[in-house]
Amino acid sequence: MKKVVLSLALVAVLGLSFTSCRETADKAGDAIENAADATGDALEDAGDAVEDAVDNAGDALEEAGDAVENAAGDAVDAAGNAVEGAKDAAGNAVDSAKDAAGNAVDSAKDAAKDAVDGAKEAGKTAVDDAKKAGSDAVNKAADKVKGL
């Protein structure tokens, strides 16, 4: 009888332990399933975060490219303005030099004309003086010849 009671006790313990393991196994399976779902959700969230980061990085690169393009355009405009300014300054310098040279030529021309006019006047005066001196000499000679 001892063997029968012990056998029954052993069967009861074994039965309870198998039931208990099944519930534990079911709970472990549920926990694994919940962990898998949480992991999937976390991976999905991480993927979304990576996608957002890539989009933001792309937008930042596009904005940086636009800024570089605008800066390059501004630099080209500034260089063009500098060239235009230098061209205007050079043109003004050429015009000023041309005006100064024209004024110098006009002044030299006026001075030469004044010198020629002065020489003409001096020549006329010399001719008139020579005529007068000649005429006076002739008159004196004639007076001497008459007075003799």
Side-chain angles (χ1 to χ4, degrees), residues 19-30:
T19 302
S20 186
C21 286
R22 268 192 227 147
E23 287 176 16
T24 303
D26 287 343
K27 286 181 184 179
D30 289 341

Side-chain angles (χ1 to χ4, degrees), residues 10-117:
L10 181 63
V11 170
V13 169
L14 284 175
L16 287 176
S17 69
F18 283 123
T19 302
S20 186
C21 286
R22 268 192 227 147
E23 287 176 16
T24 303
D26 287 343
K27 286 181 184 179
D30 289 341
I32 289 172
E33 188 176 321
N34 289 339
D37 289 342
T39 302
D41 291 343
L43 288 175
E44 189 174 318
D45 291 344
D48 291 343
V50 168
E51 185 177 328
D52 290 343
V54 168
D55 289 343
N56 290 339
D59 292 343
L61 285 175
E62 187 174 326
E63 289 174 10
D66 291 344
V68 167
E69 184 177 332
N70 290 340
D74 291 345
V76 167
D77 290 343
N81 291 340
V83 167
E84 189 73 26
K87 179 180 167 189
D88 290 343
N92 291 340
V94 167
D95 290 342
S96 295
K98 185 173 153 185
D99 291 342
N103 291 339
V105 167
D106 289 342
S107 294
K109 191 170 151 183
D110 290 343
K113 184 177 178 183
D114 290 344
V116 168
D117 289 343

